[in-house]
Amino acid sequence: SQTIHQWPATLVQPVGSPLSLECTVEGTSNPNLYWYRQAAGRGLQLLFYSVGIGQISSEVPQNLSASRPQDRQFILSSKKLLLSDSGFYLCAWSIRLYGYTFGSGTRLTVV
Amino acid sequence: EDQVTQSPEALRLQEGESSSLNCSYTVSGLRGLFWYRQDPGKGPEFLFTLYSAGEEKEKERLKATLTKKESFLHITAPKPEDSATYLCAVQDTGNQFYFGTGTSLTVIP
């Protein structure tokens, strides 16, 4: 079966510290992978998507970056976190762009 | 311009009190409309996909319908465990996805 793993579930980081969130997918090959951020009352904001290894598209210019070192691995990073980076981050995958399967999410609090 | 609008933002129902959630969209070409359920602190969980006007999908107490401009998620005789945020998303013919901000449903025993 196809599953998606995202970790950690919660993270508290000081301002200016680095960030690395990881997402892996099982049971499928060459999925489209996505990072979303969800803010209360504002819906889901697409941050990055990837259609293949090393292929990253950014939707919103910001303090974050993404990488896809392997077919089923998607990483969200930052060199220096800002307070405004706090939020709920979701990894998702899709095959042929027909709907998403989401990970369990990471609650990031920057203090 | 908002592509997807969900209403109401919040809904409180008594257990057994049926109601509907609305998702209206303005994309030029619809490829699919998706409903998700999201529990607090969790990722959205897929419920339904609708592709064309007139289509209906059912799952337990939930029924989703689609017209050319909107979709409804009907909840029949809800139970407290149906409490969650329900998200709607639309995929256009350019494969862009647009999410609504969700309806927070609370079912009171």
Side-chain angles (χ1 to χ4, degrees), chain B residues 11-107:
Chain B
L11 181 63
R12 290 172 62 89
L13 299 173
Q14 291 291 329
E15 184 172 1
E17 179 187 2
S18 301
S19 187
S20 296
L21 313 181
N22 178 263
C23 171
S24 62
Y25 59 92
T26 57
V27 295
S28 56
L30 179 71
R31 190 164 192 175
L33 185 142
F34 307 87
W35 281 100
Y36 296 89
R37 170 193 169 125
Q38 186 174 22
D39 293 302
K42 302 287 181 62
E45 178 184 337
F46 171 80
L47 291 174
F48 304 109
T49 307
L50 301 167
Y51 294 106
S52 58
E55 189 175 0
E56 298 181 353
K57 294 276 180 72
E58 285 189 70
K59 180 180 181 180
E60 297 181 352
R61 295 176 292 281
L62 300 177
K63 179 180 177 181
T65 62
L66 181 64
T67 71
K68 288 186 178 181
K69 293 186 177 181
E70 60 191 348
S71 176
F72 291 94
L73 184 65
H74 307 278
I75 303 176
T76 302
K79 298 181 178 181
E81 53 262 42
D82 294 323
S83 297
T85 295
Y86 291 85
L87 293 171
C88 171
V90 167
Q91 181 186 21
D92 66 15
T93 50
N95 291 328
Q96 292 293 313
F97 275 89
Y98 304 94
F99 280 87
T101 54
T103 294
S104 176
L105 174 67
T106 303
V107 181

Side-chain angles (χ1 to χ4, degrees), chain A residues 1-108:
Chain A
S1 63
Q2 298 144 344
T3 58
I4 181 168
H5 302 281
Q6 185 180 344
W7 67 93
T10 59
L11 192 59
V12 180
Q13 292 284 96
V15 169
S17 65
L19 172 74
S20 181
L21 303 181
E22 189 163 344
C23 171
T24 59
V25 179
E26 293 180 2
T28 185
S29 296
N30 197 31
N32 295 318
L33 297 174
Y34 306 82
W35 279 110
Y36 276 88
R37 179 166 58 200
Q38 188 175 33
R42 297 188 61 186
L44 287 160
Q45 180 188 34
L46 179 62
L47 302 176
F48 301 95
Y49 70 92
S50 172
V51 298
I53 296 173
Q55 301 179 61
I56 308 295
S57 296
S58 174
E59 290 294 308
V60 182
Q62 58 207 324
N63 186 41
L64 303 170
S65 62
S67 62
R68 186 169 177 175
Q70 300 180 45
D71 180 46
R72 301 172 197 174
Q73 184 184 29
F74 204 24
I75 298 171
L76 182 68
S77 304
S78 174
K79 292 182 179 179
K80 290 185 178 181
L81 284 169
L82 306 172
L83 286 174
S84 58
D85 291 324
S86 294
F88 190 56
Y89 289 84
L90 288 160
C91 179
W93 72 271
S94 71
I95 292 285
R96 301 189 190 89
L97 298 178
Y98 287 112
Y100 291 115
T101 296
F102 287 92
S104 54
T106 296
R107 172 69 62 191
L108 172 65

